[in-house]
Amino acid sequence: MRNEDGTPWLPAGLFEGQTAFVTGGGTGLGLAVSRRLGGLGANLVCASRDVGHHEALLEDGQANGYEVLSLELDVREPHDVKRVVREAVERFGRIDVLVNNAAGNFVCPTLLLAPKGFKAVLDIALNGVFYVTREVGRVMRDGGGTIVNISAPYATTGKPGVVHSACAKAGVEALTKSLAAEWASLGIRVNAVSPGPFHSRGAADRLWPSEEIEQKILDEIPLGRFGTAEEVGEIVCFLASDASPWITGSIWLADGGWMLPNPLVEDLAKVRRRRNAGN
Ligand code: NAP
């Protein structure tokens, strides 16, 4: 996102001297957020199961002069979470920003969804968020901080085929609002970003595995395109920064209009396709 004169919207040095902890910070949205936070001056803690996924971020940190601490973490394991948060504090002395980005998802009709599959998604996308937030909150309570959780629009509307993820994200939104009120007196702001479909390998493989399904989703988006990890990431960075000091407990929807009631969706998609073909 840029100002009219081409300068970046968020000012250089916005996170100078701060430490940001991003779960799943090596791929997709987590990588876009981590790169941007690093570019704006933060030290990065990147935590996920496969440290091989952190290579691109480590390279970006070296090329652009910010520090990256790469740590193996399965957010489903509270003891692991405790260890990793301790290592982050040992290295940087503080955590100013937490982005709860890690999640797992797949499409499955509910009648075929095994209890194990439901539990696996809840364990990562809801319980994991609680474990990490609680542990990082114990660090932030001494000096304040900001937390941004990643939700999804179907947390409020529901959606067939993703009941597991919808339940997890609904819980994440409840956690966001509860802690925003509970931790405001500690100087901790808590918000969430709720993005519509954007391209990432995880999403493409599991949520729109064929061109036909991808086209169907595209047809449902009034603005006529998927989002990008970078534009969603910019909102995450804004909410994590001192540029949004009076915003807490909010859920920022960024979905190209995907969730608006849209009974003419097919007709409008046809008009859009004809217009694009004419260009
Ligand atoms: P992604 O690239 O697959 O990101 C998921 C990340 O989570 C990976 O880096 C993965 O790293 C990490 N992760 C998964 N399980 C973990 C665990 N148990 N412990 C620690 N880390 C774990 O997908 P994405 O699309 O960027 O998704 C990022 C966020 O956006 C998610 O919260 C997702 O629900 C949300 N979202 C995405 C879309 C979309 O259209 N893409 C739409 C709405 C919301 P490892 O494999 O190394 O563990």
Side-chain angles (χ1 to χ4, degrees), residues 19 21 82 84-86 88-90 93-96 132-145 183 186 188:
T19 299
F21 188 114
K82 209 179 182 68
V84 160
V85 169
R86 194 176 53 237
V89 173
E90 274 167 15
R94 54 196 279 173
I95 299 173
D96 305 277
V132 177
T133 304
R134 175 179 176 274
E135 215 53 58
V136 171
R138 289 172 162 228
V139 177
M140 286 181 171
R141 69 180 163 193
D142 294 327
W183 289 357
L186 303 176
I188 302 172

Side-chain angles (χ1 to χ4, degrees), residues 21 47-49 71-87 131-132 135:
F21 188 114
S48 78
R49 294 164 304 177
L71 296 172
E72 190 180 317
L73 170 67
D74 187 332
V75 294
R76 291 171 291 188
E77 300 296 336
H79 292 295
D80 240 20
V81 170
K82 209 179 182 68
R83 170 187 56 79
V84 160
V85 169
R86 194 176 53 237
E87 283 180 47
Y131 302 146
V132 177
E135 215 53 58

Side-chain angles (χ1 to χ4, degrees), residues 27 29 48-50 53 73-75 101 103 151 169 195 198 200 203:
T27 67
L29 175 59
S48 78
R49 294 164 304 177
D50 182 349
H53 289 160
L73 170 67
D74 187 332
V75 294
N101 164 78
S151 185
K169 297 297 193 187
F198 63 87
S200 71

